[in-house]
Amino acid sequence: MSGPDERPWPILGRPRLADDLRALGVRPGVCLVVHCGLRRVGPLEHGPATLAGALRDVLGPAGTLLVPTHNDGNSTTSRAHLAAVAGMDGAQRDRYEATLPGWDRHTPSQRMGALAEYVRCAPGAVRSDHPQTSFAALGPRARQLTDGHDLTCHLGERSPVGNLYAADGQVLLLGAGYEACSALHLAEYRLPVPPPERDYHCFRLVNGRRVRLDFHALDLDDTDFPKVGAALDEMPFVQRGRVGRAEARLLPARAVVDFAVGWFAANRLAARR
């Protein structure tokens, strides 16, 4: 006999998801960044289009949807690249590096999920111009959120995360944990003693030609995000519920970043002394 967890889950439609999002606290007219594990939401009537439609229904014509569309496969300094070349000799690494693609705004995102790719490809979507930590947006404030993404500022003030903070936006973690919460990285930039900087190398397409970019930027660290997340879960401004089958958290961006600055200063910096 099958147990309760093995019973088939009903196909979820756009109205049901919209009801769940409203119950969670998503407001019309806001700027909302969504970090999503789509499979955890459950079987959807039309896949990511169903969830994207529900989000836009709830946000309304004045709201703007933002998603991460990051890439690390075009970099020689990313964790993914370093893991891929571990154990290779110099010649093997050179051959592997020669296969890395250049990035432009049409490059598919990597490991960001089906919702992010659906939004990136949607008519009217705009994407920030960063070869590693881009975001795509749909809505009337899409350009406001994605413009001015500085190469040396992955997720700081001059990025869509900083723009979301300035817009008093919301963060939705949908079937995703705090380790995915890009707003926590903005807090790193605001610490009295920010993380150290390091060198980054990646490739982008310029007039159809692959060009290497070398730059210096903060060495961002997400290893303690689950710990700050556990502390955030005790805060009254964090709204928790379910959207479809997935656990969901709705966070006000400003409150989360401000809280995390204090938490990192008290815990992360103290641990380094």
Side-chain angles (χ1 to χ4, degrees):
M1 180 180 295
S2 62
D5 291 338
E6 298 176 57
R7 289 177 297 187
W9 189 259
I11 301 296
L12 298 170
R14 183 165 164 169
R16 159 67 190 278
L17 294 180
D19 287 345
D20 288 351
L21 290 163
R22 291 188 187 96
L24 186 65
V26 178
R27 306 191 310 268
V30 301
C31 298
L32 176 73
V33 65
V34 181
H35 300 279
C36 178
L38 193 68
R39 277 182 284 189
R40 293 190 175 97
V41 179
L44 304 183
E45 189 175 15
H46 300 294
T50 301
L51 178 56
L55 285 161
R56 300 202 73 191
D57 289 345
V58 177
L59 292 171
T64 300
L65 174 61
L66 181 71
V67 293
T69 53
H70 301 347
N71 296 85
D72 56 11
N74 65 334
S75 169
T76 63
T77 49
S78 69
R79 294 176 188 171
H81 178 82
L82 295 175
V85 301
M88 292 185 184
D89 61 30
Q92 290 171 323
R93 286 195 300 272
D94 289 344
R95 287 194 295 271
Y96 186 85
E97 182 176 325
T99 68
L100 298 184
W103 181 92
D104 66 15
R105 293 191 190 192
H106 303 291
T107 302
S109 63
Q110 295 171 312
R111 289 178 289 282
M112 294 293 105
L115 177 68
E117 272 298 278
Y118 180 86
V119 173
R120 181 187 71 82
C121 297
V126 295
R127 191 181 191 183
S128 68
D129 189 25
H130 197 288
Q132 294 187 296
T133 54
S134 67
F135 287 75
L138 273 172
R141 302 176 76 178
R143 292 204 177 277
Q144 177 185 334
L145 291 176
T146 56
D147 278 354
H149 197 168
D150 192 283
L151 179 65
T152 63
C153 191
H154 287 101
L155 298 166
E157 308 295 345
R158 301 180 308 282
S159 81
V161 183
N163 295 337
L164 184 79
Y165 182 98
D168 195 16
Q170 294 180 308
V171 179
L172 175 60
L173 300 178
L174 180 54
Y178 281 101
E179 66 279 358
C181 185
S182 54
L184 295 177
H185 284 297
L186 179 58
E188 294 186 274
Y189 288 81
R190 296 186 172 191
L191 287 173
V193 182
E197 294 191 346
R198 70 176 177 91
D199 292 324
Y200 290 87
H201 311 294
C202 64
F203 297 97
R204 72 175 303 155
L205 288 176
V206 179
N207 297 323
R209 186 171 63 91
R210 192 183 81 153
V211 175
R212 174 166 158 158
L213 301 178
D214 302 308
F215 60 101
H216 212 53
L218 290 192
D219 187 7
L220 300 174
D221 180 8
D222 59 7
T223 55
D224 54 1
F225 282 15
K227 292 181 179 179
V228 68
L232 277 165
D233 276 347
E234 301 300 318
M235 295 296 105
F237 55 77
V238 175
Q239 299 174 75
R240 301 180 68 175
R242 288 196 174 271
V243 175
R245 200 172 186 174
E247 182 179 4
R249 292 176 174 88
L250 185 69
L251 322 167
R254 289 181 179 176
V256 167
V257 173
D258 295 347
F259 178 92
V261 170
W263 192 94
F264 288 144
N267 294 274
R268 181 186 290 189
L269 298 183
R272 293 174 179 170
R273 293 190 185 109

